[in-house]
Amino acid sequence: MTFIVGDLVTRTSHQHDILFRISALKEQVAILHGEDLRLEADAPINDLVKASERDILTHEKQEKEQLDYSFRLFKQDYQLMKEKRTYESTEGYIDHADFFQLPARVLHLDGDRHYLKKCIDLYKRIGLQVHGLYIEESEMPLEIAGLIQRIQPDIVVITGHDAFSEKKGDKNDLKAYRHSRYFVEAVREARRIESNLDQLVIFAGACQSYFQSLIRAGANFASSPSRINIHALDPVYITAKLAYTSFMDKVMVSEVLRNTLTGEKGLGGIETRGFLRTGMPYLEDEGTEK
């Protein structure tokens, strides 16, 4: 069977458990990226099977149902936060709700163009403006300081692909991870620019990433406490919760993880303040959002 870059495939040796797309071919080995999970793997060509059209349609249907459910939970959460902000901003007089809001500035670095597009589409659906950039994981530590100084974001997302390999070491060995060391270095570079955990909030990691090392490096939120796979869109939901929570309020970790697709086994962090600021009066020509 002939394969080309972009083909959707599964692995026979893993009982066809995950849908991958081929990102590169090197002799008789394929580099694989999870279609919806931030996992990178390699496999012999003879271990691969092309996904059928029926399998792809079934996967897309299940994925849409999962995303729609998570988005509904987020919208319910957002509506409650909005009602609380409205009440507090007007001291209970809803008829005088003449205020504007300044949400967070977001910088999203992604090691996968395909995932980056998916994330930007979801940011737009949620109503957040984001500066999204495709950067290979190994280049992130070199690029991030200049980007933070130029864009001056409130929230930085550092993500892409990763994987843990028992053959390379135990789970406490950074060398046993495909890209965790780059994420850790990028977090450290970001913290050299802004050390305050509430002035610059960082999410870092991908599938099976070294969670403890990322948190020690200065990330507020990271993956993956149980070394499991995380969904490509999980960083967006974490960002949205932080961006739409008032800077006067703490965001508890359990609240942040509530609307993610992976949950606490794949994601974790520390309590962090929100970023949303409310002002009055609302003037349409000032470029603010009501």
Side-chain angles (χ1 to χ4, degrees):
M1 183 177 291
T2 303
F3 296 94
I4 61 173
V5 171
D7 279 347
L8 294 176
V9 299
T10 58
R11 296 175 297 178
T12 301
S13 61
H14 288 69
Q15 292 75 51
H16 311 285
D17 58 342
I18 296 174
L19 183 65
F20 289 95
R21 54 191 164 81
I22 298 177
S23 65
L25 292 166
K26 300 179 180 180
E27 297 181 352
Q28 294 301 308
V29 176
I31 307 301
L32 307 174
H33 289 167
E35 178 66 3
D36 301 301
L37 301 174
R38 290 188 172 275
L39 179 66
E40 180 172 297
D42 50 61
I45 295 295
N46 59 16
D47 188 36
L48 302 180
V49 174
K50 284 187 180 180
S52 67
E53 185 175 349
R54 180 179 178 181
D55 290 338
I56 293 172
L57 290 173
T58 298
H59 173 84
E60 289 177 346
K61 180 181 178 182
Q62 293 173 343
E63 176 71 4
K64 185 178 185 302
E65 290 174 351
Q66 188 180 29
L67 291 178
D68 287 345
Y69 175 72
S70 186
F71 185 74
R72 284 197 303 272
L73 290 179
F74 170 78
K75 290 293 287 185
Q76 292 171 4
D77 198 20
Y78 171 75
Q79 187 61 36
L80 290 174
M81 290 189 290
K82 182 178 180 181
E83 291 173 359
K84 178 183 177 182
R85 291 195 305 270
T86 300
Y87 184 87
E88 292 176 346
S89 299
T90 62
E91 297 181 337
Y93 294 97
I94 306 301
D95 292 339
H96 297 87
D98 188 20
F99 61 91
F100 62 89
Q101 296 171 343
L102 299 175
R105 295 183 300 275
V106 181
L107 171 62
H108 183 119
L109 308 184
D110 209 310
D112 187 295
R113 297 181 191 275
H114 178 68
Y115 290 164
L116 178 61
K117 183 182 183 304
K118 281 188 174 185
C119 288
I120 289 176
D121 289 344
L122 182 56
Y123 281 119
K124 290 179 179 178
R125 189 179 180 190
I126 287 173
L128 282 177
Q129 292 186 345
V130 59
H131 194 110
L133 293 170
Y134 161 71
I135 301 177
E136 291 186 9
E137 291 86 351
S138 61
E139 297 297 314
M140 290 178 180
L142 305 176
E143 299 286 343
I144 193 166
L147 290 170
I148 290 174
Q149 290 173 326
R150 177 163 59 89
I151 298 168
Q152 297 187 334
D154 301 303
I155 301 172
V156 174
V157 175
I158 303 167
T159 189
H161 304 103
D162 209 354
F164 166 66
S165 174
E166 292 183 349
K167 296 178 181 179
K168 296 180 179 179
D170 64 34
K171 67 179 184 179
N172 296 318
D173 184 353
L174 193 57
K175 295 179 181 178
Y177 297 83
R178 193 176 292 258
H179 288 144
S180 286
R181 64 186 181 278
Y182 301 125
F183 297 143
V184 168
E185 291 170 11
V187 172
R188 287 176 179 157
E189 290 299 319
R191 284 291 170 226
R192 289 191 178 98
I193 304 299
E194 177 54 70
S195 60
N196 190 308
L197 295 173
D198 287 318
Q199 293 297 318
L200 180 67
V201 170
I202 300 173
F203 171 90
C207 281
Q208 303 176 15
S209 290
Y210 191 173
F211 172 77
Q212 291 87 342
S213 189
L214 290 166
I215 293 295
R216 287 196 298 266
N220 298 69
F221 297 91
S223 60
S224 166
S226 297
R227 306 304 191 267
I228 68 170
N229 299 328
I230 71 166
H231 195 277
L233 299 177
D234 279 332
V236 179
Y237 284 113
I238 290 178
T239 299
K241 178 67 175 179
L242 293 162
Y244 284 121
T245 297
S246 169
F247 80 102
M248 298 290 289
D249 297 332
K250 289 181 181 178
V251 180
M252 305 305 292
V253 178
S254 58
E255 294 177 357
V256 176
L257 303 184
R258 185 183 304 155
N259 299 331
T260 63
L261 294 157
T262 303
E264 64 183 20
K265 288 187 177 181
L267 302 160
I270 59 175
E271 61 181 8
T272 303
R273 289 196 177 278
F275 276 102
L276 189 70
R277 292 178 181 269
T278 301
M280 297 179 69
Y282 172 70
L283 299 175
E284 290 194 25
D285 63 348
E286 291 189 352
T288 53
E289 296 183 6
K290 188 170 183 179

